[in-house]
Amino acid sequence: MPARRAERTARLLAVLLVLGLPLGLLLARLISDRSSPVVEIHARMPHDGGFLPGEIQAVAGEPLRLRLVSDDVLHGFAVGQTDFPEIDLYPGQTVETTLVFDQPGRYTYVCTRWCGPDHWRMRGVIDVRPAAGETASPPAADPPLYLELGLDLDAPHPARVTPASRPAAVTGIELPGRYRSQDYLRAASPAQVWEALRSDPVTRGMDDEQVWGLVAGLWQESTTPQRLEQGRELYARSCAACHGETGTGDGVFASQTPRDAERSDHAGAVEGHASPGGAVDGHAIEAPAEFTDPENMLGAAPALLHGKIVRGGMGTGMPYWGTVFSDDQIWMLVEYLWTFQFDLEEGK
Ligand code: HEC
Ligand SMILES: [Cu+2]
């Protein structure tokens, strides 16, 4: 009975198709997944090695498959200067994620959970090379402003004048336009701006404290409540543990500022030992800066604070953040730091 046979063959073919198609697709996916290998990164407390490995390779435009494992406590994983979501790494759990970098360059990955006093030292580098056939080098970043201005980040910068009490921002006063230029307000310390305003006929008839109110007003106008709010969040997460929630330098980890901090601050550097006095490379480990101290802060230009955050203290215990945050995030941090000196209108 050939008709029946043909029918049976047809049915068999249909079954094969229905089963075979998904099976085939699955197989194809497994094979293509294999083609980009998984890189496993272990997270450990910094004194046990931090992120292992500390440097990985990727190619621009190609998926980088990561398997993240915490070997001890809760850590976090985030890639600086990118929008990739942060990942929490609970001990004993394995998390897989795939990242695709559009641009070649060296990206820093960091731990986002305070896992111990050396938490900020948990950093690694993803070296993203250009795609095959492309030689495009990453766009060169502008040098930080402090270099352009020739500011010495390591010199003391006491203010020559300070207010009698904490200035509140006074806005809406007519001032010559040059006082409002961003270039000027980033390059000059509040004390310098105060001196310039004080000797300007525009402040005749005002007392010294009123002039400080004008200075605070200019600082208010060079930011927004939204930027201050974002700066506050960044500060709470990455700075408060040393500098203190209220900027007084009494963060929970302040007393434990690592003695040989700067050694591992430079990628690839070997673990070093601080000399008994706590000095590293000729620099002494210092207490975290007090952002509430008017003499210190009001003598600092915004560009100087920006530079310090970008570059770090080079051995003082102040980490560098230039590869962790975007330039805009660093400026938002700087803007937020002034709220420890001035009453500014903050976003809530
Ligand atoms: C591990 C502790 C630690 C952390 C975390 C830390 N700092 Fe510091 N910071 C210090 C120490 C110590 C100093 C003083 C020594 C120096 O100036 O180099 C300092 C100094 C500074 C200064 C210089 C102030 C001046 O008057 O020159 C700025 C600005 C600053 N920190 C901003 C930040 C910001 C913003 C963050 C967060 C993104 C941060 N710090 C995180 C320890 C820390
Ligand atoms: Cu950690």
Side-chain angles (χ1 to χ4, degrees), residues 96-135:
E96 296 215 0
T97 186
T98 300
L99 309 178
V100 181
F101 293 85
D102 298 333
Q103 292 289 329
R106 287 174 69 79
Y107 296 81
T108 298
Y109 55 95
V110 295
C111 177
T112 50
R113 293 291 193 158
W114 278 96
C115 50
D118 287 358
H119 148 81
W120 64 269
R121 293 216 251 174
M122 278 190 74
R123 294 178 175 185
V125 170
I126 305 176
D127 184 26
V128 180
R129 284 161 296 147
E134 283 190 34
T135 46

Side-chain angles (χ1 to χ4, degrees), residues 3-344:
R4 273 208 104 142
R5 196 124 124 240
E7 198 191 307
R8 225 164 57 206
T9 316
R11 216 180 270 157
L12 200 78
L13 264 173
V15 167
L16 270 177
L17 255 172
V18 167
L19 281 179
L21 205 70
L23 260 173
L25 282 177
L26 200 79
L27 216 74
R29 246 194 74 185
L30 277 175
I31 289 167
S32 84
D33 271 7
R34 289 270 151 74
S35 68
S36 72
V38 184
V39 179
E40 191 163 294
I41 301 181
H42 287 261
R44 295 181 191 161
M45 305 265 288
H47 61 262
D48 284 333
F51 284 119
L52 301 166
E55 174 151 355
I56 56 180
Q57 310 278 325
V59 176
E62 288 181 18
L64 168 65
R65 300 180 59 214
L66 294 177
R67 182 179 298 138
L68 306 165
V69 190
S70 164
D71 290 342
D72 44 35
V73 298
L74 172 63
H75 297 283
F77 177 89
V79 184
Q81 301 181 342
T82 70
D83 294 331
F84 301 131
E86 285 177 26
I87 299 173
D88 278 339
L89 308 176
Y90 290 91
Q93 260 178 30
T94 299
V95 186
E96 296 215 0
T97 186
T98 300
L99 309 178
V100 181
F101 293 85
D102 298 333
Q103 292 289 329
R106 287 174 69 79
Y107 296 81
T108 298
Y109 55 95
V110 295
C111 177
T112 50
R113 293 291 193 158
W114 278 96
C115 50
D118 287 358
H119 148 81
W120 64 269
R121 293 216 251 174
M122 278 190 74
R123 294 178 175 185
V125 170
I126 305 176
D127 184 26
V128 180
R129 284 161 296 147
E134 283 190 34
T135 46
S137 47
D142 290 335
L145 187 56
Y146 81 92
L147 285 176
E148 207 178 296
L149 297 172
L151 297 179
D152 181 355
L153 296 188
D154 305 308
H157 43 78
R160 283 201 301 215
V161 283
T162 51
S165 62
R166 181 184 164 86
V170 175
T171 53
I173 309 273
E174 283 288 335
L175 290 175
R178 65 195 160 89
Y179 290 114
R180 298 183 191 281
S181 101
Q182 188 184 67
D183 286 351
Y184 174 64
L185 289 177
R186 284 184 169 176
S189 70
Q192 284 169 330
V193 175
W194 184 90
E195 288 182 305
L197 280 169
R198 181 71 289 184
S199 57
D200 191 309
V202 79
T203 62
R204 207 176 292 146
M206 292 185 191
D207 67 27
D208 289 355
E209 294 307 293
Q210 285 172 313
V211 177
W212 275 112
L214 291 185
V215 174
L218 289 171
W219 256 250
Q220 166 85 69
E221 284 168 358
S222 53
T223 185
T224 63
Q226 293 74 27
R227 289 177 65 81
L228 290 178
E229 176 60 16
Q230 287 188 60
R232 194 185 61 78
E233 279 167 22
L234 291 167
Y235 181 87
R237 298 199 54 183
S238 298
C239 323
C242 287
H243 289 283
E245 210 68 55
T246 54
T248 49
D250 65 346
V252 284
F253 290 115
S255 57
Q256 305 175 37
T257 301
R259 290 182 168 269
D260 53 351
E262 197 58 26
R263 296 297 179 148
S264 67
D265 219 359
H266 296 300
V270 280
E271 274 293 312
H273 296 280
S275 60
V280 178
D281 295 343
H283 288 264
I285 298 296
E286 294 171 24
E290 286 176 43
F291 300 130
T292 46
D293 170 15
E295 195 187 335
N296 180 56
M297 277 298 274
L298 298 177
L304 185 137
L305 302 180
H306 176 269
K308 198 70 172 252
I309 300 168
V310 167
R311 192 209 66 178
M314 308 284 281
T316 61
M318 166 65 186
Y320 70 89
W321 304 92
T323 58
V324 175
F325 296 124
S326 71
D327 200 49
D328 199 39
Q329 284 175 316
I330 293 178
W331 281 115
M332 290 193 280
L333 277 163
V334 171
E335 287 157 31
Y336 176 72
L337 293 185
W338 296 111
T339 64
F340 297 120
Q341 286 299 320
F342 300 136
D343 274 339
L344 304 179

